[in-house]
Amino acid sequence: MAQIIGGLATSHIPAIGGAIAKGLQQEPYWKPFFDGFPPIHEWLGKVKPDVLVVFYNDHGLNFFLDKMPTFAIGTAAEYRNADEGWGIPTMPPVAGCPELSWHLVNELIAKEFDIVTCQEMLVDHACTLPLKLFWPKDAVAPVQIVPIDINTVQFPLPTAKRVYKLGKAVGEAILSWKSDKRVAVMATGGLSHQLEGERAGFINKKFDQQFLQSMETNPEWATQFSDLELVEHAGTQGVELLMWLAMRAALTAGSAGVRKVHSNYHIPISNTATGVLALEPVA
Ligand code: DHB
Ligand code: FE
């Protein structure tokens, strides 16, 4: 059976793509953010995942307000990135893993998750930038991906409780995949940020730090909040931290807890409180 070798999470601000393209990683503005990654690169070099299940939120590139699934999964052999504005370079296509995608579709639908299946799926900065951040030396990250999109764009959003259940079901499904592949689960988004309205620029360090701590010791902590409460605590775009919750829930499948490999928290990059995290399941 397949193994879950770890969980990854990072913020995904488009400006990061510009900084990478211009080689600004050592500039004073960017260094405290990029310095969060080398210990995770070293760990990834050792654990070498083959497949990466990516919880991410599309921002209008693949899904728009006219058709907005709550949960959608890619089953393609390849995922293309496309120009979505922001002026960031378009990334080369990333390989998919249709075999794991279809296994997840079958298992999730059997467990009553009415997930949208996408045989074609364009992936935006939320999916592509983390691949660049975690595998900076590779033109294309050396993993096959299975993207799972969770709506954080148009209300009503799925509840944190539902997202947790989805993540756990994804974890269980990975462990029942008849394969010798090493699978990692990645989340992208957050932490607290709000891009528009009266609270534009809103950041909540206290909440972010409680949330980061919960990832290690109390994975269900965030499920106590309704979506409006999450907006209040983390900002209208800070609800992207639901992806982290899904990733962490996936790691509860078949493990008693987690070991933190590394984390970093830095305020701000653009309008966002940035976080990065790597976790390893402990039997
Ligand atoms: C920013 C943050 C995001 O999560 C995003 O998707 C786009 C922009 C920002 O802070 O600039
Ligand atoms: Fe975002």
Side-chain angles (χ1 to χ4, degrees):
M1 294 295 177
Q3 287 176 59
I4 301 179
I5 55 95
L8 295 164
T10 176
S11 307
H12 62 217
I13 302 137
I16 296 165
I20 294 171
K22 293 185 199 124
L24 303 181
Q25 292 89 333
Q26 295 306 312
E27 296 287 311
Y29 179 83
W30 289 102
K31 190 171 162 32
F33 170 74
F34 282 100
D35 278 355
F37 289 84
I40 301 179
H41 299 154
E42 202 180 308
W43 173 72
L44 282 170
K46 283 189 213 138
V47 294
K48 289 192 173 41
D50 305 302
V51 185
L52 190 65
V53 173
V54 183
F55 289 108
Y56 83 110
N57 59 292
D58 181 83
H59 298 72
L61 180 70
N62 191 68
F63 303 111
F64 200 60
L65 303 184
D66 58 338
K67 297 178 197 72
M68 182 58 68
T70 300
F71 300 130
I73 181 165
T75 58
E78 179 181 274
Y79 297 93
R80 279 182 307 112
N81 178 219
D83 189 343
E84 51 173 315
W86 306 103
I88 53 178
T90 300
M91 304 275 178
V94 194
C97 182
E99 196 190 330
L100 178 57
S101 290
W102 285 110
H103 176 70
L104 293 183
V105 169
N106 284 319
E107 294 295 304
L108 291 172
I109 290 182
K111 286 192 178 163
E112 302 176 356
F113 289 91
D114 303 317
I115 190 161
V116 172
T117 301
C118 302
Q119 301 202 43
E120 287 182 3
M121 200 166 178
L122 285 174
V123 290
D124 73 4
H125 67 275
C127 187
T128 56
L129 290 180
L131 298 176
K132 255 321 213 217
L133 285 167
F134 288 123
W135 286 275
K137 295 207 175 91
D138 297 275
V140 181
V143 284
Q144 296 176 310
I145 67 164
V146 174
I148 304 181
D149 168 68
I150 300 179
N151 167 36
T152 57
V153 172
Q154 177 162 263
F155 282 80
L157 311 183
T159 62
K161 276 201 176 85
R162 185 70 175 153
V163 167
Y164 190 91
K165 285 182 187 160
L166 175 80
K168 187 157 185 272
V170 166
E172 288 164 353
I174 295 168
L175 295 180
S176 71
W177 181 33
K178 289 193 182 68
S179 165
D180 58 3
K181 293 277 162 75
R182 298 164 63 77
V183 182
V185 183
M186 181 171 89
T188 107
L191 294 171
S192 61
H193 63 301
Q194 171 143 349
L195 301 180
E196 77 287 301
E198 278 175 21
R199 290 204 312 171
F202 173 80
I203 278 175
N204 186 346
K205 182 174 177 184
K206 186 162 174 250
F207 181 82
D208 287 338
Q209 288 188 332
Q210 278 180 298
F211 180 73
L212 271 174
Q213 183 58 45
S214 77
M215 290 281 110
E216 277 181 73
T217 50
N218 187 6
E220 291 185 47
W221 178 77
T223 63
Q224 69 183 290
F225 300 110
S226 71
D227 287 332
L228 288 180
E229 285 167 342
L230 283 178
V231 167
E232 195 180 318
H233 290 304
T236 41
Q237 280 71 39
V239 292
E240 291 176 347
L241 56 76
L242 289 172
M243 312 304 134
W244 293 50
L245 190 60
M247 175 279 286
R248 182 61 184 85
L251 296 191
T252 64
S255 84
V258 291
R259 180 185 79 82
K260 183 171 88 173
V261 176
H262 188 67
S263 72
N264 190 44
Y265 182 76
H266 171 66
I267 295 175
I269 292 294
S270 183
N271 295 291
T272 301
T274 63
V276 63
L277 178 65
L279 298 171
E280 219 170 37
V282 177

